[in-house]
Amino acid sequence: AADVAGEAVSAAARYTAALDQLGAAGNAQHAGFVHSYFGVLEWKRGKLPSAVAHIQAVLRTSVTLRDRWLLSFAAQATVALVGSHAQPAGWARLLGAADALGKATGGATFGWEHSPGAQNVVDLRKQLARDGERSAAYREGRTLPFAAVAALAMRLLKEVVQAPDNPETGGHPGQESEQSVSRFEAHVSLTTREREVLRLVAQGLSSKAIGRQLFISERTVAQHLTAIFNKLGVNTRAQAVGVAAQRGLF
């Protein structure tokens, strides 16, 4: 409600609190949706690296959970966010994938029409009607498998933060923006429960053993691990332990 009312500071604080609470509860899926809206809010506030980091978190969660609904949200947000910065064929391909996912998940929409890049998407759709190459890319995008859609969205997000005309890069494509994304991820705090799970992972315990020690289900352990991976920007337990050790999170 604060976001819709244009109260950006209040909305950011509430989104942050929501992520903390969902992380403590081990609810990675709902945290993914919060990251989606938080990402667009950060974009509206002119914080592109932070926006990209949030959408990347959604993509990672969608892959971990094999959640098409979340991937649909992330793909639509990426289409709007990358705008004219993206390579035209790749942009059209991702729009096709996003449209197909939206239809497959029952018409779920992220609401990109209310985002800063809404006009870019409208213009792209008009161009598709008269541009054979882009139309072919759009049709190809509608047939992409799950993993390919996520990989394409990740690539386009990286390209937008590396764009030479991105004012946040200071004239050095990708350098400052990637550092900013890293700083953003580094300052995302782990909840007390996530730290407990991570410490046990570092000790070599399995998810089943961790669950027994913390009196939680194995599924809840998996959800905590997903949240940890998203916050640290990693894909495996070994990477999570390594990054956490580097950042002094134990």
Side-chain angles (χ1 to χ4, degrees), residues 197-198 201 207 210 220-230 237:
V197 169
L198 191 53
V201 167
S207 293
I210 292 172
T220 300
V221 173
Q223 292 175 328
H224 282 308
L225 285 173
T226 297
I228 291 168
F229 289 176
N230 283 335
R237 293 182 177 216

Side-chain angles (χ1 to χ4, degrees), residues 43-92:
W43 184 22
K44 291 176 182 177
R45 300 170 75 193
K47 298 183 176 183
L48 180 62
S50 177
V52 168
H54 278 294
I55 303 305
Q56 287 174 328
V58 186
L59 286 168
R60 285 192 294 269
T61 301
S62 71
V63 171
T64 300
L65 301 180
R66 298 294 297 178
D67 191 315
R68 291 193 300 169
W69 197 17
L70 266 181
L71 182 60
S72 175
F73 265 56
Q76 291 179 63
T78 301
V79 167
L81 191 152
V82 301
S84 58
H85 293 288
Q87 190 269 340
W91 191 25

Side-chain angles (χ1 to χ4, degrees), residues 141 174 190 235 248:
L190 298 179
N235 298 308

